[in-house]
Amino acid sequence: MKRILPLVVIGIAVLAGLIWFAFGRDDGPEPWLGYVEGEAIEVAAPVSGQLASLNVQRGGQVTAGQALFALNPETTAAELRRLEAQLATARAQRDDLTKARQRPAELDIARAQQAAARAEVTRTARDYQRIATLAQRGFATKVQLDAARAAAESARAALSQAQASEASGELAGRTDQIAAADAQITAAEAAIAAQQRRGAEIAPAAPIAALVEQTYFNPGEWVPANTPVVRLLPPGRVKIRFYAPQDAISGLKPGSKVRVSCDGCGDPVAATVRYVAPQAEFTPPVIYSERARAKLVFLVEAYPDAGVERLRPGLPVEVHPQ
């Protein structure tokens, strides 16, 4: 009997411990659930064309300035040759005007050209303002903004040319005719500069050293204008997107610190909150939690202070307040 009593006591203690472990322990507040998202760069060409070459592979690394892909250059090169011929013609006309013989003025043609040029100036100015507004909001690239600016400058030069042509016809003066020819040369040179830039845009280079996260087309396929061909993920360009309940959102603001943990990530990673959504939403389907799926939550974005290499895009994480 004396030997049985200690065993009974031990058994009761073990049973009590198991009951406490199953029902009575306090693991602290439930963590906020989220995932890692990469801030990638998608590289596209501003014009449509057949993909002539793809110089990178998915999963590979690129250095700044390394060629990524190239569209078929035949159309772009042909347009450049046409513009160069137009510039040569303009220069020949100017040289001819500097000679001793008089050239007759054609006022009707000059006025029609001026009306068309004025309409083109209005159109390109509106396009440039629209692209500039989109660029300020992050919806248009610098390439598109530069192209719109070049088009507006070319249209203004063409209008100057048309106005000079009309003036030279009315005054029948060779000085004005020469000025019109100079304006035509300026317009042709601007068009050539824009086309040369277009030639570089159809064969872009990596703007920064990065991981090739995805490629969307294979050589020989048709690529629509402004459609990404390569997706790059620069090192360290990751953020944590998580969802905090409404009763905890008052303690989160830009600058707040949180701890991020995940399976296989080792020690928790410190992160700084940079964005808190102004409106609540129901927990999105990407957060797999039976208890949290019907709750109102706020989207919060935080950026790791260190340990970025351990956080891969798409990885689910748990977030705790610092």
Side-chain angles (χ1 to χ4, degrees), residues 179-205:
D182 288 337
Q184 187 174 2
I185 291 173
T186 301
E189 290 174 341
I192 287 176
Q195 190 63 19
Q196 289 173 337
R197 178 64 182 268
R198 183 62 52 84
E201 292 168 355
I202 67 171

Side-chain angles (χ1 to χ4, degrees), residues 100-143:
R101 59 192 182 90
Q102 184 82 18
R103 306 291 287 179
E106 301 181 42
L107 288 177
D108 292 340
I109 295 177
R111 288 167 181 165
Q113 290 175 342
Q114 184 178 162
R118 187 175 290 107
E120 185 66 8
V121 166
T122 301
R123 184 188 69 80
T124 54
R126 289 176 179 172
D127 286 347
Y128 174 74
Q129 290 298 326
R130 177 176 58 82
I131 296 296
T133 301
L134 291 175
Q136 291 177 350
R137 299 177 180 175
F139 295 112
T141 64
K142 185 177 182 301
V143 168

Side-chain angles (χ1 to χ4, degrees), residues 59-74:
Q61 295 285 339
V62 295
T63 58
Q66 181 176 338
L68 298 176
F69 64 89
L71 301 184
N72 191 319
E74 290 184 3

Side-chain angles (χ1 to χ4, degrees), residues 70-122:
L71 301 184
N72 191 319
E74 290 184 3
T75 301
T76 304
E79 178 64 12
L80 179 60
R81 290 193 297 271
R82 185 189 71 81
L83 292 172
E84 289 173 341
Q86 182 177 338
L87 175 61
T89 301
R91 286 173 173 169
Q93 290 174 346
R94 187 191 184 285
D95 291 342
D96 189 52
L97 286 170
T98 59
K99 295 179 180 178
R101 59 192 182 90
Q102 184 82 18
R103 306 291 287 179
E106 301 181 42
L107 288 177
D108 292 340
I109 295 177
R111 288 167 181 165
Q113 290 175 342
Q114 184 178 162
R118 187 175 290 107
E120 185 66 8
V121 166
T122 301

Side-chain angles (χ1 to χ4, degrees), residues 3 79 172 182 239 253:
R3 294 180 178 178
E79 178 64 12
D182 288 337
K239 62 183 176 182
K253 59 183 179 180

